[in-house]
Amino acid sequence: MSEYNRSRLRPAPPWTTTGLWLNTFEGQPLELAALRGRVVVALAFQMLCPGCVQYALPQLSRIRRAFHPSRVAVLGLHTVFEHHAANRPETLAAFSHEYRLDFPIGIDAPDPHGGPMPVTMAAYAMQGTPTLLIIDAVGHLRRQAFGHVEDIVLGADIALLAAEAGGTVLSDPATGGAASMREEACRLP
Amino acid sequence: MSEYNRSRLRPAPPWTTTGLWLNTFEGQPLELAALRGRVVVALAFQMLCPGCVQYALPQLSRIRRAFHPSRVAVLGLHTVFEHHAANRPETLAAFSHEYRLDFPIGIDAPDPHGGPMPVTMAAYAMQGTPTLLIIDAVGHLRRQAFGHVEDIVLGADIALLAAEAGGTVLSDPATGGAASMREEACRLP
Amino acid sequence: MSEYNRSRLRPAPPWTTTGLWLNTFEGQPLELAALRGRVVVALAFQMLCPGCVQYALPQLSRIRRAFHPSRVAVLGLHTVFEHHAANRPETLAAFSHEYRLDFPIGIDAPDPHGGPMPVTMAAYAMQGTPTLLIIDAVGHLRRQAFGHVEDIVLGADIALLAAEAGGTVLSDPATGGAASMREEACRLP
Amino acid sequence: MSEYNRSRLRPAPPWTTTGLWLNTFEGQPLELAALRGRVVVALAFQMLCPGCVQYALPQLSRIRRAFHPSRVAVLGLHTVFEHHAANRPETLAAFSHEYRLDFPIGIDAPDPHGGPMPVTMAAYAMQGTPTLLIIDAVGHLRRQAFGHVEDIVLGADIALLAAEAGGTVLSDPATGGAASMREEACRLP
């Protein structure tokens, strides 16, 4: 069974959030529709989910750094399905500050019928957190992956989707870490 | 100064090897020209270079796993510029076996004038090891990076070059690690 | 300047907590004085402090696993000095649950004068989080370290203090990870 | 079955080496007997064994840094049991240079009867590489572990054995990494 499905071409369901957004201009809500023309890489996460903190959020920051922001938009969606009382907006704000997250983060709206799963999480039929969504420039959901996806694969996927709409994809051809980890390299004298 | 140059469009110099190849059919030599139509990702390395062993060779294996072999060819080139007596072919063969390297590895030909730098390394004006080369499907050298390049950036670069020639790029849409690192993930009950 | 001071032999100040403890029998508070006879390894942390989550708390779990519980007691102390509104007890409880912390955790009492630094944190003159405290079997504060201390050094320090009181120190001579990471080992045929 | 045996109190068998040592004064051979009075932590390794390179040799360097050299001697023993032709002394010398190993390394003597296992490796009945040996100050083999042992446990073990002979054990009370990994720590304003 493929959880990393490249074939489905259905429109990405709109997000239903509480209206409170972090890291946007004056806390204004974002609409997915407003990001058409760009590939959207979104991470559904919970701040108390160890896998989100250990690998998925750092990966999202690497994606944000690698791709040109005019071509690839990076978003977070806080999808709380457990420990609801513990996951208050002010805690999320402090979490975002301490971990230096600088991409917009929406808060998934609670189930109006009182169930544990929030609205957007249910609309996408997610299995848990972290879940990565990739939405192409015309608004189709192209990838949905629960768990970890390797950076190599993700870099390739995002680049190919961004290239569908043309133009330069990567943020800065000169960087990309080539300057780092030099101390273990062997240099010509 | 950019060491990760995406702009130069010069033909990749041919490789001059000793003729002894590892991990090819019956040890037969490979020619870059024979790989036209595929993107070639090649790593110039030395088996006694810590950075090559710690991050560059594992990265090459991840690249090999991620991309479809009909679209992306992965090669190693053993470019010895120090400790020549220590770097004998039988030691390289044992190294390749122990580290389970399964891509073809050529051995750069020693300088006929007795200098320390081997022939292909000089032809590419490399600065040391590890150095990653990316050659596009028509044989142009598109990238040359000394040191470490992030997986996200590399995945994007290779995918874009492979896509220039059309067709499916990634090896298997269903994999890519989505199944791993699940124990830290938070699953719906 | 040494922040990892082995020389001072002053009594460890008592802890002033809110009375609410996690991971104790029926939530009953612990007193340092009740742990005399054992070395106490205590970590002052904040659940929203990245360094606490990434390296200090996992290290505390390794310490707990390595040493015999009759000889070494492992404790957490939640010392909130920023983002007070975000750090509510129910959030800490959810955090402890999700990260599978199983050692007792006290909550440092807020400053009665309304300052940001909690009472116990001030009594120990801590500089921030994570801060590791090691208290010997007779109640002296023997080590106080802000930041990261290597496992090798910490293992040695705790063992030497535990040995001052005699008896077996490590939890299980047969374990200690010797069985792990075998896949990269080279085994005789 | 315990491979990390703390109970056996047999004399450590003497080492039989080729006579060629690395990183000793003028290449002079070392005798275990000459190290009496110190705890000896020795690693049997092969330079082409991935687990030795990835975790065991870096751990040995951490041990060397943590303990006072007058109390704890750190040694390597190159125990080649496969790829004999590939493991020549000049290759080991280049490996030691590139990985910046600075402890004495002996080369286990080949089996005089032509078998694959070298003499000292057989005398200790080792199962493969990496194997860690800990010999106490009076020359008893106190630990022998094939595979990986956690730093916490190893730090404790070495410290306790070193303390049997009295005196200061750790190399420098002020260090031990407390200054590192500060950027993720949370500091009081």
Side-chain angles (χ1 to χ4, degrees), chain C residues 3-185:
Chain C
E3 297 184 74
Y4 191 58
N5 196 329
R6 288 189 181 81
S7 59
R8 52 175 140 175
L9 269 169
R10 61 174 176 118
W15 289 12
T16 306
T17 64
T18 64
L20 200 72
W21 280 67
L22 301 177
N23 309 326
T24 59
F25 181 68
E26 295 186 345
Q28 284 173 5
L30 271 186
E31 296 289 336
L32 282 188
L35 299 169
R36 286 296 132 70
R38 286 195 268 173
V39 172
V40 175
V41 180
L43 182 73
F45 75 101
Q46 296 179 102
M47 71 178 133
L48 298 176
C49 157
C52 301
V53 173
Q54 281 168 35
Y55 61 84
L57 286 166
Q59 184 179 56
L60 203 63
S61 292
R62 289 195 296 274
I63 292 170
R64 189 169 195 275
R65 226 167 38 228
F67 290 98
H68 201 287
S70 71
R71 310 298 308 288
V72 175
V74 166
L75 299 181
L77 180 65
H78 201 232
T79 50
V80 177
F81 64 86
E82 54 189 354
H83 310 298
H84 292 81
N87 279 281
R88 298 157 56 96
E90 63 265 36
T91 308
L92 181 62
F95 174 85
S96 170
H97 176 83
E98 287 301 313
Y99 281 86
R100 296 170 201 168
L101 307 181
D102 54 4
F103 42 81
I105 299 171
I107 299 175
D108 200 358
D111 180 3
H113 309 296
M117 206 198 297
V119 177
T120 311
M121 194 179 183
Y124 282 78
M126 294 182 197
Q127 299 170 267
T129 55
T131 290
L132 193 82
L133 310 172
I134 310 185
I135 300 165
D136 67 17
V138 297
H140 286 117
L141 178 63
R142 298 288 284 271
R143 322 277 185 258
Q144 177 166 333
F146 172 53
H148 184 63
V149 182
E150 288 193 354
D151 277 25
I152 288 270
V153 174
L154 213 45
D157 264 342
I158 296 169
L160 293 174
L161 290 175
E164 288 179 1
T168 303
V169 166
L170 287 155
S171 66
D172 178 2
T175 61
S180 67
M181 284 202 237
R182 281 284 166 77
E183 88 190 69
E184 286 89 11

Side-chain angles (χ1 to χ4, degrees), chain B residues 17-186:
Chain B
T17 64
T18 62
L20 200 72
W21 281 68
L22 301 177
N23 308 326
T24 59
F25 180 68
E26 295 188 344
Q28 283 172 5
L30 272 186
E31 296 290 335
L32 281 189
L35 300 169
R36 286 294 131 72
R38 288 193 268 172
V39 172
V40 175
V41 181
L43 182 73
F45 75 101
Q46 295 179 106
M47 71 178 135
L48 298 177
C49 157
C52 300
V53 173
Q54 282 168 36
Y55 61 82
L57 286 166
Q59 185 180 56
L60 203 64
S61 292
R62 291 194 296 274
I63 292 169
R64 188 169 195 274
R65 224 165 41 226
F67 291 97
H68 201 287
S70 69
R71 309 298 310 287
V72 176
V74 166
L75 300 181
L77 180 65
H78 202 232
T79 50
V80 176
F81 64 87
E82 53 188 356
H83 309 298
H84 292 82
N87 280 281
R88 297 157 58 95
E90 64 264 37
T91 308
L92 181 62
F95 174 85
S96 170
H97 175 83
E98 287 302 311
Y99 281 86
R100 297 168 201 172
L101 308 182
D102 54 5
F103 42 81
I105 300 172
I107 299 175
D108 200 359
D111 180 3
H113 307 296
M117 205 194 304
V119 177
T120 312
M121 194 178 183
Y124 282 79
M126 295 183 196
Q127 298 170 269
T129 54
T131 290
L132 194 82
L133 310 173
I134 311 185
I135 300 165
D136 67 19
V138 297
H140 285 119
L141 178 64
R142 298 288 285 270
R143 323 276 183 259
Q144 178 166 331
F146 171 54
H148 183 63
V149 182
E150 287 194 354
D151 277 24
I152 288 272
V153 173
L154 213 45
D157 264 342
I158 296 168
L160 293 174
L161 289 175
E164 287 179 0
T168 303
V169 167
L170 287 155
S171 66
D172 178 2
T175 60
S180 67
M181 285 204 234
R182 280 285 166 73
E183 87 192 69
E184 287 87 13
C186 294

Side-chain angles (χ1 to χ4, degrees), chain A residues 3-4 6 51 55 65 126-129 146 148-150 152 155-157 170 173 176-178 181-182 184 186 188, chain B residues 3-4 6 49 51 55 65 126-129 146 148-151 155 157 170 173 176-178 181-182 184 186 188:
Chain A
E3 299 185 73
Y4 192 56
R6 290 190 179 79
Y55 61 84
R65 226 167 37 229
M126 293 181 197
Q127 299 171 267
T129 55
F146 171 55
H148 183 62
V149 182
E150 288 194 352
I152 288 269
D157 264 342
L170 287 156
M181 283 202 238
R182 280 286 167 75
E184 286 88 11
C186 294
L188 281 167
Chain B
E3 298 184 73
Y4 192 56
R6 287 191 183 77
C49 157
Y55 61 82
R65 224 165 41 226
M126 295 183 196
Q127 298 170 269
T129 54
F146 171 54
H148 183 63
V149 182
E150 287 194 354
D151 277 24
D157 264 342
L170 287 155
M181 285 204 234
R182 280 285 166 73
E184 287 87 13
C186 294
L188 280 168

